[in-house]
Amino acid sequence: MQALVIAAHGSHLNPDASDPTYAHADTIRETGAFDEVREAFWKEEPHFREVIRTLESDEVFVVPLFISEGYFTEQIIPRELRLEDWDPDRWESDGTSASQATLEAEDVGKTIHYCGPVGTHDAMTDVIIQRAETATENPDVGEGVGLSVVGHGTDRNENSAKAIEYHSDRIAERDRFDEVKALFMDEEPEVDDVTDYFESDDIVVVPLFIADGYHTQEDIPEDMGLTEDYRLGWDVPSEVDGHRIWYTGAVGTEDLLADVLLERAADAGADIGDAREAVRELAASVAETGADSGPEPNAGAGAGD
Amino acid sequence: MTVATDDLEALLDRASSGVAFDGLRIDETDDGYSLEAGENRWPGLDEAALGRALESSDEYVTNWRYWQETVGGEGTARRAFLRWCERAPLADAEDAADAEATVDAPLAVPERYDALRDGIDREWGQLSITARFVDIDDPDGERVYDLWHVDDADSDLADLEVYDEPRDAREIATHDDDGRYRPLKTAPTLPAGWAFTGLSGDDLVDAIGFFYPATIANWHRERRGALDVDHWLETAERQTGIYDVIDELPREAVEWMAEACCVDSQCLRRREWEYEDGDELDADGGDGPFPCREPCSLVIAAARKWAILESEEERTYELELTTSERNQLEELIDAVAEGRVDEIREADVNDGANRYRARYLRAKRFGEEGLEATPVDE
Ligand code: SF4
């Protein structure tokens, strides 16, 4: 038997923070690729600390639903899961290349395949592009369009910027968009000045965040000048300084993210059959029908604590 | 009652290696098979006679089938929990709490079969679980489970929102009756008005996992004497980052914290963690059925606040209050702490926590800077 654990942050204050975790877990449940699929959280229940014991499977694949490598993926999650012999060097990562490490969970005697976070997986590049397609409702979006991947910045985690730049570079290499730029909330180059960095009239802005919340639904839209007050909402696209800004909201809510979770587990040796195809088909059909919730401003979302 | 032919075949297949389960026992001896079903014994049977004897012991046969074939999972928390649901003997009954052994003695197969026709009720926190046969008139041993809020025990099913997908439990458990988010799943604020009916055993366990995550696993560990408790100090010392400070919380404050957060009125888990091994807290740990094996994330987050607040120096203030106003402060704090504020009637000016009384006190005693109190130790 094999189990998938999706390890996410969660929130004590904002119930929406865990929505993407549940949504992607449900998608993967539907594929039947794992005997058990379980959500686990730092701030909600089941806590990282207790999750492994709720499983019957002996082989457990843990994928952090986080954007970058750093404090959570290297310290908190392995410590709280009681992974014996964990050491960040086991990932041999330069900050964006963690794949997996196989360890024992001390309290339960199960084998844990501890994977790198979803945010730095190569497949995340496709999710960012898919996000641009869903937001513009154009499956061929690219020509005459600039794309910006937005991250938090380095105040909390030095690898956070690396993840943003990594995907920006990969998208740029594909020559699909006229321009690609990594921008940040808390460091240069800043998302506030988004229009300074693009010549294209149309700019798609994709925040590389897991859940919609304070940053993606309040800070960034106001900083970019999409709206005076986030509570009033904004249009997609919005006019700013003669450019049209297509703001997509957090990439983590994109349906295709379930595919990245599956890939992480498969890279670590999980047998997932044709689950990826099923998820990709589902995500594509949702994107086509536009049934996705899209970047609705969420006035009720409080700060992620 | 019906015994399916394949049940008989499965049992006959296994007879040579021996079967022993819930009062059903088949052994192969030198003079044929011996069968035991509850009080009844048949020695020296040939295969055909064994088949006939099993047919007359249908309850034992279908019971065997349900547990060994449908549920399976020997040694798992899931299986133990489902057995607990119908008051079946548990493998680890020796370790079980004495109170339960006397009040809720396990039932042997015939009594359990009688009871399953009417449904066997169990409570799990604010959840009420009924185990019953799928087919009550002609039971074939297959069980299903109904799940609802204990407050709805007497409600008509037609008045409840009926669900059959365990994941829907997540939605139900997200907000309380006042629409407030419930970050602590074991807070006694689960809203009523819903029911899951006819769940399979696996689905029941999943639904409970969404309502009260990890409670079944820890309950099972506790029964087997394998609950691994992490006490306050070790949990606090493990923390890093912004939570690094919480091990500085004075012991006394940990006591207040447990009293504030972990008592039955706030949390249905039974606090099993203490200050440290051999140093118990006085605060009541509660009577919940599921043990709490270490301070939860909510308590850790609150502890950080208190660790910061407790690092402040105490000071002496002088302020003018009438005796009634001093008492009113007590009533205000008490009303907030007990979550009673919303119940105080608009015109009930006898209650110190009444809004007009509070506004009057503020108008009278608060200046520009808030409460007019002078530090006297400067
Ligand atoms: S630490 Fe206290 S409040 Fe938290 S789950 Fe345990 S008993 Fe409940």
Side-chain angles (χ1 to χ4, degrees):
Chain A
M1 283 177 83
Q2 58 175 13
L4 175 70
V5 170
I6 305 174
H9 193 284
S11 165
H12 290 153
L13 300 176
N14 173 12
D16 303 335
S18 47
D19 286 353
T21 316
Y22 290 134
H24 304 315
D26 287 349
T27 303
I28 295 172
R29 281 189 181 98
E30 299 291 342
T31 70
F34 291 86
D35 301 291
E36 297 167 287
V37 176
R38 195 83 77 235
E39 304 87 340
F41 302 96
W42 172 235
K43 294 282 191 166
E44 296 178 34
E45 298 168 86
H47 193 265
F48 298 152
R49 201 78 187 148
E50 315 232 81
V51 67
I52 306 290
R53 64 186 50 197
T54 68
L55 301 166
E56 290 183 17
S57 308
D58 287 324
E59 294 281 319
V60 181
F61 296 84
V62 177
V63 183
L65 192 55
F66 283 80
I67 289 301
S68 45
E69 293 173 29
Y71 181 55
F72 274 98
T73 59
E74 290 179 354
Q75 290 189 45
I76 299 259
I77 300 173
R79 178 188 81 207
E80 298 294 301
L81 290 177
R82 283 171 271 201
L83 299 183
E84 247 172 274
D85 304 328
W86 164 254
D87 183 319
D89 290 343
R90 301 278 296 253
W91 268 350
E92 290 181 8
S93 175
D94 62 6
T96 56
S97 61
S99 56
Q100 76 105 26
T102 300
L103 299 140
E104 290 295 310
E106 213 176 311
D107 56 327
V108 285
K110 290 183 195 288
T111 303
I112 312 294
H113 303 276
Y114 182 50
C115 304
V118 290
T120 55
H121 194 278
D122 282 356
M124 194 67 180
T125 308
D126 296 331
V127 184
I128 295 169
I129 294 169
Q130 167 106 37
R131 192 73 181 157
E133 292 172 11
T134 2
T136 56
E137 293 176 26
N138 176 6
D140 302 314
V141 62
E143 214 186 311
V145 174
L147 177 82
S148 172
V149 184
V150 178
H152 194 285
T154 56
D155 65 328
R156 297 200 305 195
N157 164 9
E158 62 169 285
N159 284 333
S160 137
K162 285 189 193 167
I164 315 300
E165 278 153 5
Y166 181 70
H167 293 296
S168 300
D169 290 348
R170 281 171 52 84
I171 296 170
E173 278 163 25
R174 295 186 188 185
D175 280 334
R176 171 170 174 164
F177 293 86
D178 283 6
E179 308 163 85
V180 182
K181 189 83 197 167
L183 297 177
F184 301 96
M185 290 184 58
D186 283 353
E187 68 171 272
E188 296 284 329
E190 285 196 11
V191 67
D192 304 34
D193 311 318
V194 58
T195 52
D196 294 354
Y197 294 100
F198 288 91
E199 303 204 336
S200 321
D201 289 339
D202 287 293
I203 308 168
V204 180
V205 177
V206 182
L208 198 55
F209 286 76
I210 292 297
D212 272 321
Y214 175 64
H215 290 314
T216 65
Q217 297 298 322
E218 301 179 25
D219 267 15
I220 298 178
E222 287 184 6
D223 288 353
M224 285 196 295
L226 301 185
T227 178
E228 291 269 293
D229 181 339
Y230 73 90
R231 281 168 294 218
L232 302 172
W234 55 87
D235 295 326
V236 180
S238 289
E239 285 283 328
V240 178
D241 301 336
H243 295 263
R244 290 202 297 171
I245 309 244
W246 304 76
Y247 178 65
T248 71
V251 71
T253 60
E254 185 67 32
D255 296 295
L256 198 53
L257 204 74
D259 179 61
V260 188
L261 287 157
L262 282 169
E263 290 216 34
R264 273 283 183 223
D267 292 348
D271 175 9
I272 60 165
D274 51 10
R276 289 190 47 208
E277 287 70 36
V279 165
R280 285 182 162 261
E281 268 168 41
L282 179 86
S285 71
V286 171
E288 248 164 52
T289 56
D292 201 35
S293 58
E296 287 291 317
N298 182 354
D305 56 325
Chain B
M1 181 102 39
T2 47
V3 176
T5 340
D6 44 346
D7 289 347
L8 289 179
E9 275 168 16
L11 265 176
L12 290 173
D13 269 357
R14 263 160 249 207
S16 51
S17 48
V19 170
F21 176 74
D22 255 6
L24 177 72
R25 191 178 177 100
I26 307 174
D27 291 304
E28 194 176 12
T29 60
D30 291 344
D31 53 339
Y33 295 101
S34 75
L35 170 67
E36 224 180 281
E39 308 285 289
N40 298 320
R41 282 179 172 67
W42 295 266
L45 301 169
D46 64 18
E47 210 164 284
L50 175 62
R52 284 193 299 279
L54 282 172
E55 274 199 75
S56 67
S57 313
D58 50 3
E59 293 186 341
Y60 287 89
V61 173
T62 59
N63 181 66
W64 171 86
R65 200 266 321 277
Y66 181 69
W67 287 108
Q68 304 304 81
E69 309 279 287
T70 309
V71 176
E74 198 79 52
T76 60
R78 169 177 58 94
R79 180 186 175 95
F81 179 75
L82 292 175
R83 288 189 58 84
W84 174 85
C85 284
E86 64 173 59
R87 295 175 56 191
L90 291 164
D92 45 18
E94 308 78 81
D95 302 329
D98 287 343
E100 184 172 274
T102 48
V103 178
D104 255 351
L107 303 175
V109 172
E111 292 88 60
R112 229 185 309 144
Y113 265 53
D114 275 348
L116 281 166
R117 285 191 174 83
D118 298 332
I120 297 175
D121 298 327
R122 287 294 212 173
E123 281 186 12
W124 191 251
Q126 288 185 288
L127 302 177
S128 175
I129 301 159
T130 302
R132 60 178 168 88
F133 285 128
V134 181
D135 185 340
I136 291 166
D137 299 323
D138 187 16
D140 60 358
E142 284 302 306
R143 278 79 151 164
V144 281
Y145 304 85
D146 307 321
L147 181 64
W148 48 67
H149 195 289
V150 286
D151 292 351
D152 284 326
D154 300 321
S155 299
D156 207 323
L157 203 55
D159 297 331
L160 304 176
E161 189 96 23
V162 178
Y163 298 89
D164 57 11
E165 167 57 62
R167 283 176 232 163
D168 291 331
R170 266 185 337 221
E171 291 289 312
I172 298 170
T174 301
H175 296 99
D176 66 14
D177 277 329
D178 297 324
R180 281 176 305 209
Y181 175 41
R182 301 173 66 243
L184 181 67
K185 289 281 194 292
T186 46
T189 53
L190 187 69
W194 48 268
F196 290 82
T197 56
L199 293 175
S200 70
D202 284 355
D203 281 353
L204 174 75
V205 169
D206 281 350
I208 295 200
F210 287 124
F211 279 119
Y212 295 141
T215 53
I216 293 180
N218 283 321
W219 163 87
H220 182 54
R221 280 181 164 256
E222 183 177 50
R223 292 192 76 101
R224 289 182 305 160
L227 186 71
D228 46 346
V229 175
D230 281 5
H231 297 291
W232 169 257
L233 258 194
E234 53 193 300
T235 305
E237 283 169 354
R238 196 178 74 228
Q239 305 299 319
T240 52
I242 60 167
Y243 299 107
D244 195 24
V245 295
I246 66 169
D247 57 353
E248 289 161 26
L249 197 63
R251 190 194 179 293
E252 211 182 7
V254 175
E255 193 77 66
W256 297 324
M257 182 175 77
E259 188 182 325
C261 304
C262 304
V263 294
D264 282 347
S265 68
Q266 306 301 310
C267 177
L268 298 172
R269 281 205 182 90
R270 169 170 33 86
R271 181 179 56 72
E272 288 296 321
W273 54 269
E274 301 293 351
Y275 186 70
E276 61 182 321
D277 199 17
D279 183 357
E280 295 197 2
L281 296 172
D282 288 335
D284 184 20
D287 297 318
F290 14 91
C292 173
R293 49 162 302 281
E294 95 177 37
C296 65
S297 72
L298 214 70
V299 159
I300 297 290
R304 172 171 182 260
K305 188 76 206 174
W306 286 314
I308 294 165
L309 297 180
E310 288 296 341
S311 68
E312 274 178 45
E313 293 281 318
E314 288 194 347
R315 306 181 62 181
T316 308
Y317 292 88
E318 195 173 80
L319 74 166
E320 300 280 320
L321 293 175
T322 66
T323 304
S324 296
E325 285 167 351
R326 198 208 70 96
N327 294 345
Q328 195 188 341
L329 288 182
E330 270 176 28
E331 286 182 72
L332 278 164
I333 290 173
D334 200 54
V336 172
E338 294 303 325
R340 200 169 61 77
V341 179
D342 289 344
E343 295 158 25
I344 300 167
R345 284 166 299 172
E346 195 78 2
D348 187 3
V349 289
N350 289 325
D351 194 316
N354 168 273
R355 193 167 76 244
Y356 294 129
R357 288 277 305 274
R359 291 178 64 84
Y360 183 92
L361 187 69
R362 183 174 67 173
K364 177 177 174 187
R365 295 296 183 190
F366 281 28
E368 295 272 286
E369 311 274 279
L371 187 62
E372 280 171 349
T374 325
V376 293
D377 53 353
E378 282 201 327

